[in-house]
């Protein structure tokens, strides 16, 4: 599988504006994680979770690093990264809003919620607002079917979503 690199990785030693770890430090931490977990069966998903926690998302150069350190093809890492919705290959916003489109939420207006959020935020599904505040995503059942439609704001479940509630949720994120 041919994996395209859309943009070059940030140069090592580049610190972000908030004073977090530098690029080099993050990559070194990911290398440590791979070394620590590489011999555990089925460790790839766990390593990718940790790598995403360290880096924030999983761009291709991070996937390449993981593949190289695990001695597996990049296509294998790419396949897992793109299969699971909780992994992202692009930077996410400060608030990740994931609308449930499982059956219960779908029949109770999940798609309308997606449309409304898309209009309000001015982004499509899978996109992040230009200010880096919100990322709009969809996902399957989040276990709140009895109080559908539901969505997640980062890890927090919001149940029985309606337009008023949606506005309040967005206002709380400001
Ligand atoms: S279908 Fe949405 S919470 Fe289950």
């Amino acid at each position: 599988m041919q994996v395209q690199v859309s943009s070059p990785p940030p140069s090592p030693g580049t610190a972000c504006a908030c004073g977090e770890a530098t690029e080099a430090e993050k990559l070194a931490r990911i290398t440590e994680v791979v070394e620590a977990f590489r011999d555990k069966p089925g460790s790839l998903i766990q390593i990718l979770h940790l790598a995403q926690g360290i880096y924030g998302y999983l761009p291709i150069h991070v996937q390449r690093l993981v593949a190289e350190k695990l001695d597996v093809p990049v296509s294998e890492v790419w396949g897992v990264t793109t299969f699971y919705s909780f992994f992202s290959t692009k930077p996410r916003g400060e608030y990740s809003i994931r609308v449930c489109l499982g059956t219960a939420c779908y029949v109770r207006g999940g798609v309308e919620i997606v449309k409304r959020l898309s209009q309000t935020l001015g982004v499509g599904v899978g996109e992040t607002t230009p200010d880096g505040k919100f990322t709009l995503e969809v996902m399957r059942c989040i276990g709140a079917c009895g109080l559908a439609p539901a969505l997640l704001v980062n890890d927090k479940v919001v149940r029985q979503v309606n337009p008023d509630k949606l506005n309040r949720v967005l206002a709380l994120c400001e």
Side-chain angles (χ1 to χ4, degrees):
M1 175 192 235
Q2 188 72 27
V3 177
Q4 297 295 322
V5 180
S6 55
S7 58
S11 59
T14 304
C16 77
C18 66
E20 279 183 2
T22 64
E23 173 76 8
E25 285 166 346
K26 288 179 195 168
L27 297 180
R29 286 177 197 171
I30 291 169
T31 300
E32 281 174 19
V33 160
V34 177
E35 296 300 334
F37 288 86
R38 62 171 300 143
D39 295 328
K40 301 207 164 97
S43 61
L44 178 55
I45 290 179
Q46 196 170 1
I47 287 170
L48 290 175
H49 266 298
L50 290 163
Q52 182 162 280
I54 291 166
Y55 203 87
Y57 64 110
L58 296 170
I60 191 64
H61 70 281
V62 168
Q63 293 180 49
R64 279 216 174 95
L65 175 67
V66 170
E68 185 190 309
K69 298 296 175 190
L70 279 178
D71 201 19
V72 299
V74 180
S75 58
E76 187 177 328
V77 176
W78 174 259
V80 172
T81 301
T82 53
F83 182 79
Y84 292 103
S85 63
F86 42 76
F87 293 133
S88 178
T89 57
K90 293 188 221 158
R92 283 193 161 123
E94 184 182 348
Y95 296 99
S96 183
I97 300 184
R98 285 181 260 180
V99 181
C100 178
L101 287 184
T103 304
C105 292
Y106 179 85
V107 299
R108 290 191 208 164
V111 173
E112 278 310 308
I113 292 170
V114 175
K115 277 192 201 161
R116 198 175 181 100
L117 278 168
S118 180
Q119 279 170 357
T120 306
L121 299 175
V123 294
V125 174
E127 294 177 351
T128 300
T129 53
D131 63 0
K133 192 109 185 171
F134 297 101
T135 299
L136 176 60
E137 296 172 298
V138 295
M139 64 185 300
R140 297 243 183 118
C141 183
I142 56 176
C145 314
L147 295 170
L151 55 78
L152 282 175
V153 179
N154 292 341
D155 293 330
K156 196 166 180 171
V157 180
V158 182
R159 299 171 173 85
Q160 292 182 306
V161 179
N162 56 43
D164 275 351
K165 203 171 206 176
L166 212 47
N167 289 339
R168 275 185 274 135
V169 166
L170 292 178
L172 282 174
C173 298
E174 292 298 337

